[in-house]
Amino acid sequence: MSNDPGQGPGRSHWGSRLGFVFAASGSAVGLGNIWKFPYITGEYGGGAFVLVYLMCIALVGLPLMYSELIIGRRGARDAMGSIRALTSHSTFGPAFSLFAGLLAVGGGFLILSFYSVVAGWAVHFLAVSMKLVPNAPEGVEATFSTLLGDDRLAVSRAELVPVLWHTVFMLMTIIVVVRGVHRGIEAVCSKLMPALFVILILLLGYVAFTGGLGQSIAFLFKPDFHKLTAAGTLEALGHSFFTLSLGMGAMITYGSYLNDDRSVVRDGVVVAVLDTVVALLAGLVIFAVVFAHGLEAGAGPGLVFKTLPKLFVAMPFGTPVAIAFFVLLIFAAWSSAISLLEVVVAFAVDSAGIGRGRSTWVLGGAIWLLGVACASKAPLFDDLDNLTTRYMLPIGGLIIAILAGWILRPADRAAGFVALGGEQGTLARAWLVIIRFVTPVLLLIVLLWKLGALEKALPFLFGA
Ligand code: PHE
């Protein structure tokens, strides 16, 4: 469609519609689904939290996903460039695109630096499970403490371990992004995603025999509203767009590689559903193992890296099961990390005109360096995690909702929706109402809460 701004002939595109679905769901399905969702569900008490999370996916996640795809598909540039192209008519346009663009590029940069460290732990545990590297004599728990940087007395050699695995993981990510959208990202995600599903189904079959599955189903799907706290509700809201890779331009960037004739209105739903199914299945598997051993669900962030490895060792076929689980985790993290790096690289390529090869190595190298600092300094790791997931992503999401709902020209908005394959019917109208009135309000609530304002204004709600 030649009237699209910036739709240059040389721009890369997805090879097929399925390729886009694999890449976008690859971005969405990540550590957020297999590491974070189970542990926060455990901490916030199960069923009722899951129900709120599902509602948030529908009311915040999906509308934001469409907004990002529309902006990217119509803008046909990196996150900042697309927003700049589509807001040129507005007085606030330049300020908006600069702010949103910085959040996107900065978000990709900062998130990937610690994301890669966590993914590195998974690579480490895979290597341990395959007996490629020796485990610390005290067992996996000690290894995890060292990896997390808990153990300040750890010898310097032990501190190198997480740096080493983080380096391996960053190289894996760079090598894919360097090859480009079609030959790199799409080719790899088209293999990783089906494999991920097969592994997850196999693990589910396994826990059906080892026990705990019934308890796990009840925990995840039987809501007990007494356990639902305000904090849990807001956590569910925040997580709903982290898990769908929203609020930092990943879906804008991926949407910008869509061809004119791709119809992706349905695909947006498919990605959200796949993401949710993976989170729920991962939760089922993990809690089945936990309950089969008579343990509690609320183990916290160590659930997957600390609790599970110990339990696997004691189970029948423990070694192949542990290997399968960590391969699953690595595949999920890998395809997400690729999208994080792509947001940053697309900016360098589209907005700064630097070649893909050079951008990927230089920016990937800089992210690696920050990751090295994270791997050895636990406080820095926590700060970056908090800064990005608590503040930058919700602010980014809010800006994108305002942009899509209020600032975009009606013609661009309509054309964007039609270009995604949607009709200008009920669906488009429902989306517009939600993105204008529901999503921004919900996001504002999360933000105020995160900033502590809500807690101070309404102390009774938080039991303070
Ligand atoms: N969605 C990814 C996950 O669940 C994380 C992510 C966030 C990826 C933002 C890209 C952008 O792990």
Side-chain angles (χ1 to χ4, degrees):
M1 225 181 281
S2 53
N3 64 344
D4 274 0
Q7 186 84 34
R11 194 173 167 78
S12 333
H13 287 297
W14 304 113
S16 73
R17 196 176 142 183
L18 199 61
F20 164 74
V21 173
F22 281 138
S25 53
S27 169
V29 172
L31 294 171
N33 302 61
I34 299 170
W35 172 55
K36 197 161 179 202
F37 172 76
Y39 92 69
I40 56 177
T41 300
E43 283 181 332
Y44 289 108
F49 174 84
V50 173
L51 204 64
V52 174
Y53 164 78
L54 294 178
M55 280 166 54
C56 294
I57 292 281
L59 289 178
V60 178
L62 253 186
L64 264 182
M65 163 97 69
Y66 279 134
S67 309
E68 291 207 16
L69 290 178
I70 286 172
I71 292 172
R73 169 68 188 74
R74 189 69 182 153
R77 294 188 182 92
D78 66 298
M80 193 190 289
S82 293
I83 295 175
R84 197 184 322 113
L86 296 180
T87 54
S88 53
H89 62 286
S90 151
T91 336
F92 307 111
F96 248 107
S97 62
L98 186 69
F99 192 48
L102 285 178
L103 278 177
V105 175
F109 198 97
L110 299 179
I111 295 177
L112 184 52
S113 70
F114 68 82
Y115 203 86
S116 168
V117 174
V118 180
W121 300 340
V123 184
H124 171 80
F125 281 111
L126 175 67
V128 170
S129 312
M130 294 171 86
K131 307 208 166 44
L132 294 177
V133 299
N135 200 3
E138 304 82 7
V140 277
E141 188 162 345
T143 314
F144 182 69
S145 300
T146 314
L147 284 172
L148 259 183
D150 291 347
D151 183 5
R152 292 289 90 205
L153 294 175
V155 286
S156 53
R157 210 184 114 259
E159 291 213 332
L160 278 180
V161 172
V163 172
L164 173 82
W165 295 119
H166 154 64
T167 307
V168 170
F169 186 80
M170 270 315 290
L171 278 174
M172 285 163 58
T173 307
I174 290 172
I175 283 167
V176 177
V177 174
V178 136
R179 295 176 62 89
V181 175
H182 180 50
R183 281 177 45 233
I185 301 175
E186 184 175 351
V188 168
C189 290
S190 303
K191 300 218 167 58
L192 292 184
M193 293 317 286
L196 184 147
F197 268 95
V198 171
I199 296 174
L200 199 50
I201 301 295
L202 286 176
L203 285 174
L204 194 66
Y206 171 77
V207 295
F209 290 103
T210 51
L213 189 58
Q215 243 177 306
S216 180
I217 293 175
F219 180 69
L220 284 178
F221 297 111
K222 247 209 218 138
D224 173 359
F225 287 98
H226 295 297
K227 288 191 187 153
L228 189 66
T229 58
T233 309
L234 294 167
E235 181 80 31
L237 191 49
H239 186 64
S240 70
F241 65 93
F242 175 79
T243 189
L244 290 178
S245 305
L246 300 169
M248 47 81 60
M251 291 298 160
I252 297 183
T253 308
Y254 274 16
S256 76
Y257 301 130
L258 285 165
N259 259 335
D260 308 329
D261 52 356
R262 299 275 178 262
S263 154
V264 290
V265 163
R266 215 174 344 131
D267 298 350
V269 180
V270 170
V271 171
V273 169
L274 285 180
D275 185 78
T276 308
V277 167
V278 171
L280 293 175
L281 291 184
L284 278 181
V285 168
I286 291 167
F287 288 121
V289 173
V290 169
F291 292 144
H293 289 83
L295 297 179
E296 292 293 322
L303 179 63
V304 157
F305 292 109
K306 214 164 164 176
T307 314
L308 276 193
K310 250 193 307 192
L311 300 183
F312 284 147
V313 174
M315 292 176 77
F317 307 106
T319 301
V321 171
I323 292 174
F325 181 80
F326 286 112
V327 168
L328 173 79
L329 200 56
I330 293 165
F331 279 8
W334 194 10
S335 52
S336 298
I338 288 169
S339 73
L340 287 162
L341 184 56
E342 179 59 24
V343 170
V344 184
V345 167
F347 167 74
V349 171
D350 289 345
S351 285
I354 305 169
R356 174 170 283 269
R358 193 186 303 174
S359 316
T360 313
W361 282 106
V362 170
L363 292 167
I367 293 170
W368 169 81
L369 207 60
L370 186 58
V372 169
C374 285
S376 31
K377 302 245 175 329
L380 177 64
F381 180 99
D382 286 343
D383 289 346
L384 283 184
D385 185 5
N386 286 338
L387 173 70
T388 51
T389 53
R390 291 207 179 157
Y391 302 106
M392 291 173 71
L393 292 183
I395 294 173
L398 181 62
I399 290 181
I400 287 163
I402 294 173
L403 265 175
W406 298 97
I407 298 191
L408 237 55
R409 280 194 219 96
D412 277 331
R413 196 184 294 125
F417 212 88
V418 172
L420 295 182
E423 303 293 322
Q424 281 309 300
T426 325
L427 188 62
R429 274 196 297 275
W431 169 74
L432 193 58
V433 170
I434 294 175
I435 204 66
R436 280 191 161 175
F437 301 105
V438 182
T439 313
V441 171
L442 289 178
L443 281 176
L444 209 59
I445 294 176
V446 190
L447 270 166
L448 288 177
W449 171 66
K450 304 259 187 192
L451 292 169
L454 209 58
E455 206 161 338
K456 280 198 202 91
L458 307 168
F460 56 93
L461 256 187
F462 297 86

